[in-house]
Amino acid sequence: MNAKSATAATTKPNAEYAIYKPNGRGNGGVIRFEFNRTKGAVFVDAATQSGEKQFDWESKITMKWGLNDLGSVLATIQGRQEQAKLFHQSEKANSAFELNFRDDPQKAPYFMSMSRQDGASKSVKKVMIPVTHAEAAILETALRAAITRLLGW
């Protein structure tokens, strides 16, 4: 890496990691984690599959995570608890995130879901994806780095 690209990598205000899970049935999804240095939080976006390897980012679900949210998800990935359940309530909508560990060798070891219920219409959007050990390991590393940055250590 040359000096110019090293500087660009370190000064980028937001860094993200996305887990894409399109499928042949067209009901896959993507969940993206973005560290926002300016707002001091991790933003989590989820979108449903809208075509072959395409996702409906226009109708995405978004949650803003603080330290407690990050800790709960990290504890699940580290095997300290079987699931993380996050619930955020506002006047506009209620959002929920779940990460579950599954002890079934026939399935991915983790299952992640994110949903949002609109306050006015009560309509619900939901995105669900399986997560591999490798994806969980990358997410763990990213969340640990986000916590370090949020604490300013």
Side-chain angles (χ1 to χ4, degrees):
M1 184 184 303
N2 63 34
K4 188 174 183 177
S5 61
T7 303
T10 57
T11 59
K12 184 178 176 187
N14 300 332
E16 66 180 51
Y17 173 59
I19 302 172
Y20 289 92
K21 295 294 174 147
N23 63 39
R25 297 182 307 279
N27 63 353
V30 58
I31 297 182
R32 177 176 63 193
F33 304 84
E34 179 182 6
F35 177 71
N36 187 306
R37 186 178 313 282
T38 309
K39 296 189 178 179
V42 171
F43 286 85
V44 183
D45 296 324
T48 55
Q49 186 175 347
S50 60
E52 187 177 326
K53 296 183 182 179
Q54 294 181 338
F55 298 90
D56 185 5
W57 289 111
E58 295 291 318
S59 301
K60 70 182 178 182
I61 304 166
T62 301
M63 287 181 82
K64 179 181 176 183
W65 287 2
L67 285 172
N68 289 336
D69 299 320
L70 296 170
S72 182
V73 173
L74 197 53
T76 303
I77 294 171
Q78 293 174 341
R80 298 169 191 252
Q81 61 188 28
E82 286 191 25
Q83 70 178 184
K85 282 186 161 191
L86 310 177
F87 185 75
H88 292 190
Q89 190 171 9
S90 72
E91 290 180 23
K92 291 183 183 178
N94 297 325
S95 300
F97 176 92
E98 281 190 41
L99 176 65
N100 294 290
F101 176 74
R102 303 188 296 185
D103 194 13
D104 181 348
Q106 303 299 316
K107 296 183 177 183
Y110 297 95
F111 191 74
M112 196 179 284
S113 69
M114 195 161 146
S115 62
R116 180 176 179 92
Q117 181 180 35
D118 184 83
S121 70
K122 301 295 184 201
S123 64
V124 177
K125 293 179 197 169
K126 190 167 191 170
V127 175
M128 300 180 293
I129 62 170
V131 179
T132 66
H133 278 299
E135 291 161 336
I138 295 168
L139 182 57
E140 177 182 3
T141 302
L143 295 182
R144 290 170 62 95
I147 290 169
T148 301
R149 288 184 175 101
L150 289 172
L151 291 173
W153 292 2

